Amino acid sequence: MSPLTSKGFGKPGSYLRDKASGSTGSRGSYAGGGGRRRGRSGRFSNNDHLNPSDDGSPRKPYLWLTILIILSIAITTMWAREADTGPLHTVRTAVQTVTTPLEAAGTWVTAPARNFFNWIGDLGVSRSQLQALVEQNDELRARVVELEELRLLDDRLTALMSVAPTGTAEADVLPATITGLPSSSYEKVIVLNRGTRDGVGLAMPVIASQGLVGVTIEVGPNYSKVRLITDQSSGVAALVQRGRDLGTVQGSLSGELNLNFIPIDAGVEVGDTVLTSGLGGIYPKGLVIGEVVRIADDHNTLYMPLTVRSMVNFDRLEEVLILLNAPPSTADLPEPELQAIGVGD
Amino acid sequence: MGRFTTTTISLLAALLLQVVFGPPLTILGVTPNFLMVAVIIIAFVRGSKEGTIVGFIAGLLFDLVGTTVVGPMALALTLTGFVAGILKEQIFATGWVLPVSVLGIASLASEGIYLVMITALGVPMSFFAALATRALPGALYAMLIAVVCFPIMTKFLGKGTDVEINTMKSLR
């Protein structure tokens, strides 16, 4: 019998028919039935809350349960074993090609409400915080002037020495709009409105004006999914700008970034800027990841327990840039390396 | 409308809500799981067999619109649909307070099974931290959704059933 045929589910009105025919059941047959009923064999069963259906056929919930559990496990195994072009991956791409516009519609429709709640949240900024921000702004203005001078100097020297700059300068940059927010509590993955039709591929870095955002992990014709650096599956090869110490920035379920593998005797301090190191083959060197905000007081470890805060406000991101050909190229990266940075399964 | 039609419509409506409104309704990192709520209510109204089948389909759809491994939520909701159906058949009482409470427990169990599965499959996360910061708030969120959805869905799914009659009585 087909699992969802109207016969299997019974027919409307059978509850009333049961009552009219003097059925001894205290519950309606819609609800799966309780009490004693006559089964197919014509005998009454004490386990009828599990067995009978409206037409008297056995419902066999344990049989269905067993079959579907086995099927679920088989699907999970198949998914883990098959390649990106396998049937399950193809089905997922097809499903997501259909659902992505719906997701985008939801994000668009609810944007005013989200902006309103964000605005309410901002009302809580205190006078002292405001004063601190004003001071910081003055300081940053001075830094901008200073850095602009340095940038002009760098441009001149680069031209003179004909040295190709690292980072994003060599990459083709594609602007993209965020059309979907994380759809599950356990993953921090956003959806962009650019896909293979725009030249987007797997494992391409995504940045915002404040720094690194994440990497593309799934690409369809009209969409791409980006795993944020704050996702617990994400890992970025990193470099502390001041001390040049190398480590790995790892996301977490809470959204905090942890900087791992920095030796305990390294001179990292709160406020140090953390950049991508260019190692690992995905992210180009020199992209801003964030700054060190906390050093846990634990002397019993080999590595410093460091917490990094990204400058990017992931809750309010609207537009990002995809680095299409960021050096070094990632097209030929082996599967284990892709998995190490959270790309692929 | 027949049972197959109403069940299918309920499932599609839950999928639409999940895709369109699930992500924007995320609160403190917890995204509502409309599909799970629908499975548990369908299991309450229709019993364990339908709960099991609908749970499998809903879980598979949830996995397909997500980005992690396909299959764990199908398993979690299959078990949840079955258990919710059994619970309903064994302990159901009048009113909606008990069903909504049972729904909270069932959704916590479902999140727990899902967590066990994805942790076992190598998704790096602390099981107990995820249980405390995602599964537990997720179950409370599901109960909140159920307070609104339970009367509507029971009325839609099972006109004339004991579940629908008791729910409507308790709301009057």
Side-chain angles (χ1 to χ4, degrees), chain B residues 10-34:
Chain B
S10 303
L11 200 56
L12 288 176
L15 177 66
L16 198 66
L17 282 172
Q18 187 66 44
V19 170
V20 178
F21 295 111
L25 288 177
T26 299
I27 299 173
L28 299 173
V30 179
T31 309
N33 193 335
F34 290 101

Side-chain angles (χ1 to χ4, degrees), chain A residues 5-125:
Chain A
T5 57
S6 57
K7 186 183 176 190
F9 275 9
K11 291 187 174 65
S14 54
Y15 171 80
L16 295 174
R17 282 199 300 276
D18 283 355
K19 286 281 182 190
S21 62
S23 163
T24 55
S26 59
R27 294 175 181 163
S29 50
Y30 261 122
R36 288 154 57 86
R37 287 162 196 255
R38 196 180 292 274
R40 183 177 274 171
S41 63
R43 292 179 183 173
F44 286 109
S45 161
N46 285 329
N47 293 321
D48 283 351
H49 62 278
L50 296 179
N51 290 326
S53 66
D54 298 323
D55 57 2
S57 63
R59 297 178 64 203
K60 296 177 185 165
Y62 290 108
L63 180 67
W64 278 106
L65 180 69
T66 312
I67 291 168
L68 294 176
I69 284 176
I70 292 169
L71 198 55
S72 302
I73 293 169
I75 288 171
T76 308
T77 311
M78 193 174 153
W79 174 268
R81 297 269 174 199
E82 76 174 18
D84 285 351
T85 51
L88 280 175
H89 284 78
T90 311
V91 170
R92 172 179 266 182
T93 305
V95 168
Q96 297 202 343
T97 303
V98 174
T99 57
T100 299
L102 297 173
E103 223 171 294
T107 307
W108 181 77
V109 165
T110 55
R114 278 185 292 121
N115 291 340
F116 175 71
F117 285 114
N118 284 337
W119 177 75
I120 289 189
D122 288 345
L123 291 178
V125 175

Side-chain angles (χ1 to χ4, degrees), chain B residues 5-159:
Chain B
T5 313
T6 50
T7 305
T8 309
I9 291 172
S10 303
L11 200 56
L12 288 176
L15 177 66
L16 198 66
L17 282 172
Q18 187 66 44
V19 170
V20 178
F21 295 111
L25 288 177
T26 299
I27 299 173
L28 299 173
V30 179
T31 309
N33 193 335
F34 290 101
L35 281 162
M36 180 171 65
V37 173
V39 166
I40 297 171
I41 296 175
I42 289 169
F44 277 167
V45 178
R46 295 280 160 81
S48 53
K49 185 184 132 186
E50 285 84 345
T52 310
I53 296 165
V54 170
F56 174 77
I57 297 167
L60 200 58
L61 288 171
F62 185 94
D63 284 329
L64 286 171
V65 296
T67 53
T68 48
V69 185
V70 171
M73 192 54 98
L75 178 64
L77 290 189
T78 300
L79 286 167
T80 306
F82 176 77
V83 173
I86 294 284
L87 283 176
K88 177 259 156 192
E89 284 157 1
Q90 299 288 344
I91 63 164
F92 217 74
T94 56
W96 57 274
V97 177
L98 183 62
V100 169
S101 310
V102 173
L103 185 141
I105 295 165
S107 65
L108 184 62
S110 178
E111 296 269 7
I113 295 164
Y114 182 69
L115 272 176
V116 169
M117 283 287 285
I118 58 173
T119 310
L121 287 164
V123 175
M125 69 169 73
S126 161
F127 177 80
F128 291 107
L131 203 62
T133 62
R134 293 292 183 269
L136 197 57
L140 293 173
Y141 208 163
M143 287 171 76
L144 204 65
I145 296 167
V147 168
V148 179
C149 294
F150 191 75
I152 300 168
M153 275 190 75
T154 49
K155 196 174 170 65
F156 179 68
L157 284 166
K159 218 167 179 51

Side-chain angles (χ1 to χ4, degrees), chain A residues 9-268:
Chain A
F9 275 9
K11 291 187 174 65
S14 54
Y15 171 80
L16 295 174
R17 282 199 300 276
D18 283 355
K19 286 281 182 190
S21 62
S23 163
T24 55
S26 59
R27 294 175 181 163
S29 50
Y30 261 122
R36 288 154 57 86
R37 287 162 196 255
R38 196 180 292 274
R40 183 177 274 171
S41 63
R43 292 179 183 173
F44 286 109
S45 161
N46 285 329
N47 293 321
D48 283 351
H49 62 278
L50 296 179
N51 290 326
S53 66
D54 298 323
D55 57 2
S57 63
R59 297 178 64 203
K60 296 177 185 165
Y62 290 108
L63 180 67
W64 278 106
L65 180 69
T66 312
I67 291 168
L68 294 176
I69 284 176
I70 292 169
L71 198 55
S72 302
I73 293 169
I75 288 171
T76 308
T77 311
M78 193 174 153
W79 174 268
R81 297 269 174 199
E82 76 174 18
D84 285 351
T85 51
L88 280 175
H89 284 78
T90 311
V91 170
R92 172 179 266 182
T93 305
V95 168
Q96 297 202 343
T97 303
V98 174
T99 57
T100 299
L102 297 173
E103 223 171 294
T107 307
W108 181 77
V109 165
T110 55
R114 278 185 292 121
N115 291 340
F116 175 71
F117 285 114
N118 284 337
W119 177 75
I120 289 189
D122 288 345
L123 291 178
V125 175
S126 67
R127 186 172 286 275
S128 59
Q129 282 174 306
L130 200 62
Q131 183 59 33
L133 287 170
V134 169
E135 285 170 12
Q136 195 182 31
N137 191 36
D138 291 340
E139 200 179 308
L140 288 172
R141 278 170 186 273
R143 286 292 303 277
V144 166
V145 174
E146 193 183 318
L147 290 171
E148 182 61 15
E149 281 301 306
L150 289 171
R151 191 185 67 80
L152 292 171
L153 175 66
D154 181 60
D155 282 352
R156 290 195 299 274
L157 290 173
T158 304
L160 276 174
M161 296 172 71
S162 301
V163 175
T166 57
T168 60
E170 279 185 356
D172 291 334
V173 174
L174 179 71
T177 304
I178 294 168
T179 56
L181 302 167
S183 61
S184 157
S185 305
Y186 301 101
E187 52 195 10
K188 295 183 180 67
V189 177
I190 55 171
V191 187
L192 306 182
N193 66 337
R194 303 286 196 173
T196 47
R197 287 178 195 157
D198 308 291
V200 181
L202 273 178
M204 288 184 173
V206 176
I207 60 170
S209 55
Q210 303 92 340
L212 185 62
V213 171
V215 64
T216 56
I217 55 160
E218 198 177 308
V219 188
N222 58 348
Y223 75 93
S224 50
K225 294 207 165 188
V226 175
R227 190 183 300 287
L228 302 180
I229 55 170
T230 50
D231 186 278
Q232 68 264 16
S233 301
S234 172
V236 184
L239 168 78
V240 181
Q241 190 181 35
R242 193 172 53 83
R244 317 309 286 176
D245 301 293
L246 292 169
T248 306
V249 170
Q250 187 86 39
S252 64
L253 192 66
S254 64
E256 270 190 347
L257 294 172
N258 300 310
L259 177 53
N260 302 322
F261 308 121
I262 300 289
I264 195 79
D265 56 350
V268 178

